[in-house]
Amino acid sequence: MHAFDVLGDPVRRRILELLAQGERSSGAIGAIVQAEFGITQPAVSQHLKVLRDGARRLYAVEPAPFREVDAWLEHFHRFWEQRLDSLATELARGKRERRPASSTDSPKESTR
């Protein structure tokens, strides 16, 4: 199965997120995914079958297919890099504007 097919399903994306944290048993994955998505154990098993490597029952992420996805996405970075840089600038500007003015920044009242 192509890496994009795996990433196209939210349940499989969640399974990969769990595996990115470390190796897990199918039971541990199933318990979390069933609770979060409200799907049955057989449905979780079908998703795990797509990700399975032989007869293993411990699952871990194989990084090679993600390198393929990353290489493909590289062609599109130019579309969002400038926008993300602009967003970072605006966020920083907003944080500066929200900071409370210190007493040295406020104008002094005149005493007549």
Side-chain angles (χ1 to χ4, degrees), residues 26 29-30 38 42 49 64 70 76 81 85 93 96 100 103 110-111:
S26 58
I29 294 168
K49 185 177 179 181
D70 191 45
F76 300 96
E81 283 178 349
D85 290 344
R93 183 177 294 141
R96 282 193 307 271
S103 60
S110 63
T111 53

Side-chain angles (χ1 to χ4, degrees), residues 97-112:
E97 291 173 359
R98 284 193 303 269
R99 285 188 195 142
S102 67
S103 60
T104 58
D105 294 339
S106 60
K108 298 191 187 237
E109 294 181 25
S110 63
T111 53
R112 288 167 96 178

Side-chain angles (χ1 to χ4, degrees), residues 23-39:
E23 189 174 82
R24 294 180 188 254
S25 70
S26 58
I29 294 168
I32 294 169
V33 172
Q34 284 176 271
E36 291 180 4
F37 288 89
I39 61 176

Side-chain angles (χ1 to χ4, degrees), residues 5-111:
D5 295 326
V6 172
L7 294 173
D9 185 278
V11 173
R12 288 194 292 267
R13 282 195 307 271
R14 180 60 177 135
I15 291 170
L16 290 172
E17 289 170 358
L18 294 169
L19 293 173
Q21 298 168 6
E23 189 174 82
R24 294 180 188 254
S25 70
S26 58
I29 294 168
I32 294 169
V33 172
Q34 284 176 271
E36 291 180 4
F37 288 89
I39 61 176
T40 65
Q41 186 277 327
V44 174
S45 293
Q46 287 299 313
H47 286 289
L48 290 173
K49 185 177 179 181
V50 170
L51 301 171
R52 187 172 296 146
D53 178 20
R56 290 180 44 162
R57 293 293 187 245
L58 288 177
Y59 295 84
V61 173
E62 172 61 43
F66 291 101
R67 286 189 208 104
E68 176 186 336
V69 171
D70 191 45
W72 184 82
L73 285 172
E74 184 65 33
H75 302 291
F76 300 96
H77 283 187
R78 64 185 174 96
F79 293 114
W80 63 74
E81 283 178 349
Q82 182 180 0
R83 289 184 176 102
L84 289 176
D85 290 344
S86 297
L87 176 61
T89 300
E90 289 302 316
L91 290 172
R93 183 177 294 141
K95 285 180 184 177
R96 282 193 307 271
E97 291 173 359
R98 284 193 303 269
R99 285 188 195 142
S102 67
S103 60
T104 58
D105 294 339
S106 60
K108 298 191 187 237
E109 294 181 25
S110 63
T111 53

